[in-house]
Amino acid sequence: IVVLGIGGSALGTIALRSALRSPRWNELDQTRRNGSPRLHVLENIDPTSVHELLDRLALDRTLFVAISKSGGTAETMSQYLIVRDRLEKALGDRAHHHMVLVTDPKNGALREIATHEGTVAFELPSNVGGRFSVLAPVGLFPLAAVGVDIDALQAGAREMATRCENDDLSNNPAGTFALLQWLADTELGCHNQIMMPYSDPLREFSAWWVQLWAESLGKIRPDGTRVGPTPIPALGVTDQHSQVQLFMQGPRDKTLTFIVVKQVPVDITIPKLHQNVTELAYLGGHTLKELLDVEQRATAAALARNGKPSMAIHIDQIDAHHLGAMIMMLEYATIYAGALYGVDPLDQPGVELGKQFTYAQLNRPDAESARKEWAALPKPQPKFV
Ligand code: PA5
């Protein structure tokens, strides 16, 4: 299965595929994948990656899922057109059996194609925005296809939704998260907000959250003021040997949120070798998970000693239920943060001008006024020295 999509149409699926399937899922043979297909997400338009993937696929054994809420996003539509052309050339009349669409129930080019050609098309409800759509068919369809328990995902989300509607802040994780981050930004100048899971399977989860937080909250308020924290992805422990130096001693303009997972499916004991070498002897007998946890606590304590605020989201284990809950918690938190900042977290007017300038350069007929503006802009000339 190959998902064609970008932004909210891709990031949630990538995050959950990485967390809930084997890290090397696409390299496993069919038996080890329990008969489920491989799942690729083509989320960018860099020709190198598009070529690299499409060129090695057996098209007659591939299902493409083109996902676009608006049904007209230039990047996804370009991918769609390339794939569609290749399918038609390879499979003729059977081409449309290899394509599923996920889009708005009524509007957009994809819906028009679905209606006209009878292509299978799931509906993304009109009131669900792209970056809030992973628990709609956008994520559910491809994830179910690779065996993710989507009932558990939704049950976890539903349970968390109830908790996040609680008026009692101390029992409302989303309200607490939003309020702490907003206060840190607006009262303490902590404009940079880092999400740092101590878990490889959750590495891509941070990328999903970064989009959610940035595109929802970075806005101009009705009174003209500009607001919005800058979300930054990090990974424990890897970033202890990279960004953590900056987090510790750099400007006091950051909050850190750790994600700590209680139980992991496998652990490995570090062997007691070289017991006469002090720098190695203390490691033997501990497990890698122990080391991971110890280092997370050490980093949190060192941050506190440096006067840097951090918090931790603890989850029992990485499974569909807990991730459904964490997604819902952060989606609610984003809505609450939108209210605290006084912005609409569901729109993204800031990306529009760039789109119009793209259309202008590609001569899209309805981009006349953008074309004039584009023509009048000074164009920097790169100079190689
Ligand atoms: O959250 C959003 O609305 C965006 O990031 C969209 O998901 C992204 O721009 C893709 O849009 P669409 O699904 O309409 O192709």
Side-chain angles (χ1 to χ4, degrees):
I1 294 195
V2 179
V3 167
L4 313 175
I6 197 162
S9 293
L11 289 165
T13 302
I14 296 174
L16 291 179
R17 177 197 60 184
S18 311
L20 298 174
R21 298 291 78 181
S22 152
R24 307 209 181 280
W25 181 255
N26 288 341
E27 292 164 31
L28 302 179
D29 63 27
Q30 198 164 359
T31 317
R32 294 189 61 199
R33 283 185 274 113
N34 300 323
S36 296
R38 298 190 169 90
L39 174 61
H40 302 276
V41 181
L42 204 51
E43 47 141 3
N44 203 352
I45 47 166
D46 189 315
T48 318
S49 353
V50 176
H51 170 78
E52 195 271 338
L53 178 64
L54 295 186
D55 229 44
R56 68 192 164 91
L57 290 175
L59 291 182
D60 59 338
R61 293 195 294 123
T62 304
L63 178 71
F64 292 91
V65 188
I67 306 180
S68 175
K69 167 73 191 289
S70 60
T73 302
E75 296 87 347
T76 307
M77 292 306 104
S78 305
Q79 294 171 346
Y80 165 80
L81 293 169
I82 291 166
V83 163
R84 177 76 196 241
D85 182 54
R86 289 192 186 205
L87 281 174
E88 279 176 8
K89 284 184 176 135
L91 306 175
D93 288 352
R94 290 182 294 125
H96 75 277
H97 294 307
H98 290 258
M99 185 68 82
V100 166
L101 311 176
V102 181
T103 191
D104 187 85
K106 289 205 179 82
N107 303 314
L110 282 187
R111 179 55 58 191
E112 205 177 309
I113 293 166
T115 313
H116 199 238
E117 300 186 344
T119 317
V120 174
F122 290 103
E123 294 187 356
L124 172 56
S126 303
N127 61 351
V128 179
R131 56 193 173 276
F132 293 87
S133 68
V134 57
L135 298 175
V138 167
L140 296 183
F141 175 64
L143 291 164
V146 291
V148 168
D149 183 349
I150 59 169
D151 291 334
L153 202 61
Q154 289 183 299
R158 219 174 284 125
E159 227 171 76
M160 182 55 78
T162 311
R163 288 177 65 187
C164 293
E165 283 174 13
N166 194 336
D167 283 347
D168 169 12
L169 192 60
S170 58
N171 282 313
N172 181 335
T176 306
F177 181 86
L179 189 68
L180 288 174
Q181 296 281 41
W182 173 75
L183 283 173
D185 179 13
T186 55
E187 300 287 325
L188 303 177
C190 293
H191 310 305
N192 300 299
Q193 307 196 330
I194 294 129
M195 182 65 82
M196 188 167 178
Y198 271 68
S199 160
D200 277 349
L202 296 180
R203 181 195 281 257
E204 303 292 343
F205 192 83
S206 302
W208 169 81
W209 173 77
V210 163
Q211 187 221 7
L212 185 68
W213 208 238
E215 206 173 9
S216 303
L217 303 177
K219 302 269 158 79
I220 302 177
R221 286 160 29 128
D223 67 3
T225 48
R226 290 171 185 267
V227 296
T230 301
I232 298 172
L235 180 71
V237 303
T238 304
D239 269 297
Q240 288 178 206
H241 299 266
S242 171
Q243 300 191 86
V244 167
Q245 167 61 36
L246 170 72
F247 302 161
M248 290 288 171
Q249 294 194 322
R252 293 183 194 280
D253 60 356
K254 300 172 190 67
T255 63
L256 272 94
T257 303
F258 302 112
I259 305 179
V260 181
V261 182
K262 197 165 167 192
Q263 290 154 27
V264 288
V266 281
D267 200 357
I268 299 176
T269 304
I270 304 165
K272 288 187 178 179
L273 298 177
H274 300 295
Q275 287 297 292
N276 51 350
V277 182
T278 320
E279 292 95 326
L280 302 185
Y282 74 100
L283 291 170
H286 296 291
T287 71
L288 288 182
K289 174 66 171 125
E290 246 184 294
L291 186 58
L292 200 69
D293 290 343
V294 162
E295 292 201 27
Q296 184 276 322
R297 288 195 292 270
T299 304
L303 282 165
R305 275 273 299 277
N306 275 288
K308 307 285 176 114
S310 75
M311 61 178 151
I313 299 172
H314 290 264
I315 61 170
D316 286 342
Q317 60 194 43
I318 295 178
D319 61 15
H321 192 276
H322 286 89
L323 289 199
M326 197 156 60
I327 284 172
M328 189 53 87
M329 191 282 269
L330 291 169
E331 289 187 357
Y332 263 80
T334 306
I335 302 300
Y336 288 141
L340 291 165
Y341 280 106
V343 298
D344 178 356
L346 302 177
D347 65 5
Q348 54 283 326
V351 300
E352 199 46 43
L353 186 59
K355 282 188 191 171
Q356 291 301 325
F357 284 166
T358 301
Y359 299 152
Q361 292 174 81
L362 297 175
N363 291 323
R364 192 170 136 156
D366 56 1
E368 191 49 43
S369 65
R371 198 156 35 249
K372 286 192 190 123
E373 202 182 331
W374 174 256
L377 285 177
K379 307 286 181 315
Q381 296 299 327
K383 209 155 100 192
F384 297 95
V385 288

